[in-house]
Amino acid sequence: DAGVIQSPRHEVTEMGQEVTLRCKPISGHDYLFWYRQTMMRGLELLIYFNNNVPIDDSGMPEDRFSAKMPNASFSTLKIQPSEPRDSAVYFCASTSGKADTQYFGPGTRLTVL
Amino acid sequence: AQTVTQSQPEMSVQEAETVTLSCTYDTSESDYYLFWYKQPPSRQMILVIRQEAYKQQNATENRFSVNFQKAAKSFSLKISDSQLGDAAMYFCAYRSEGYGQNFVFGPGTRLSVLP
């Protein structure tokens, strides 16, 4: 299996621009998680899905952030408009409900100038 | 809500020596899972070892082992025969029992391995 795939690996944008991060979970996994990692706040859960349905989005920082999972093999995290404080590494992870371990993608490093 | 604490922001160890990373957690649950993840400079989060709370036997994976003390809510990671490739951030994580529960991560410990 190719593991969790994220794109792009690096994104540099200017304040006010829309940013879309993409994730392809491991085939057969029915849970998908989006995390944000910063030096100040560590690893934070933003939102997670089960069978393409958002279960808990309490970690989404504000309305500028949105996430979708239109099918079992694809999810997006969108920031509109982006701000410098959104600069972070964003991870996607997936797991099967039958398993207990999350498998992480390589992350997307976002820099907002 | 569960919390995970790693009291050592940074640690260092001499190559070939042994080092122990500390982790404590707070929960009122009796069944759960605990994990150690490694994050090298590549940023990839790599599972190192996992432990089921209902198992008394400490988990071991090659040079990595844990000391799980359920009553004390402690879950330390021991790395034996440390190698340069072990240098990374190490995160302790907690997961509730149940279908697809999300993780709670500690703040991490940065481990340096000295040649």
Side-chain angles (χ1 to χ4, degrees):
Chain A
D1 199 313
V4 176
I5 299 173
Q6 290 186 248
S7 65
R9 293 294 307 276
H10 304 272
E11 178 79 30
V12 180
T13 191
E14 293 189 347
M15 183 174 62
Q17 296 298 306
E18 178 180 292
V19 175
T20 300
L21 311 182
R22 296 173 176 80
C23 175
K24 176 179 169 57
I26 293 173
S27 177
H29 283 187
D30 54 353
Y31 280 82
L32 184 140
F33 304 79
W34 281 102
Y35 292 89
R36 178 172 67 176
Q37 185 179 34
T38 62
M39 289 291 292
M40 292 297 296
R41 301 176 67 90
L43 203 57
E44 304 173 276
L45 176 67
L46 300 177
I47 185 171
Y48 78 94
F49 296 83
N50 176 218
N51 290 324
N52 315 334
V53 176
I55 302 301
D56 183 356
D57 65 354
S58 59
M60 296 286 263
E62 48 197 276
D63 292 344
R64 298 184 298 106
F65 285 69
S66 63
K68 294 182 179 179
M69 192 165 185
N71 57 62
S73 59
F74 184 66
S75 177
T76 59
L77 178 67
K78 186 175 294 186
I79 308 172
Q80 167 62 22
S82 57
E83 296 182 3
R85 60 194 169 117
D86 302 330
S87 297
V89 179
Y90 291 82
F91 286 100
C92 176
S94 72
T95 188
S96 164
K98 299 177 182 178
D100 54 58
T101 301
Q102 290 188 10
Y103 297 89
F104 284 76
T108 295
R109 180 178 292 280
L110 173 65
T111 302
V112 183
L113 303 174
Chain B
Q2 295 81 21
T3 59
V4 177
T5 302
Q6 294 177 249
S7 59
Q8 307 151 315
E10 295 183 355
M11 292 279 287
S12 63
V13 62
Q14 207 73 35
E15 196 175 4
E17 297 295 311
T18 296
V19 64
T20 298
L21 308 184
S22 301
C23 172
T24 58
Y25 56 95
D26 186 26
T27 184
S28 58
E29 299 173 336
S30 58
D31 293 324
Y32 47 88
Y33 299 90
L34 296 165
F35 305 82
W36 280 99
Y37 278 86
K38 168 185 177 181
Q39 186 179 39
S42 67
R43 296 201 313 261
Q44 180 73 53
M45 293 284 283
I46 302 166
L47 177 67
V48 175
I49 199 165
R50 58 184 283 279
Q51 172 85 41
E52 297 97 328
Y54 63 85
K55 289 187 176 180
Q56 293 187 342
Q57 185 174 3
N58 289 322
T60 299
E61 289 287 342
N62 301 315
R63 298 183 294 108
F64 299 87
S65 62
V66 298
N67 183 5
F68 174 48
Q69 301 290 329
K70 190 172 184 179
K73 297 179 183 176
S74 171
F75 183 60
S76 60
L77 175 69
K78 185 172 80 171
I79 306 174
S80 304
D81 186 24
S82 298
Q83 300 175 359
L84 295 178
D86 296 333
M89 282 287 287
Y90 286 83
F91 293 93
C92 179
Y94 172 102
R95 177 192 178 277
S96 297
E97 173 66 284
Y99 203 77
Q101 295 290 327
N102 60 289
F103 282 28
V104 177
F105 284 87
T109 296
R110 182 173 300 282
L111 177 67
S112 301
V113 180
L114 308 174

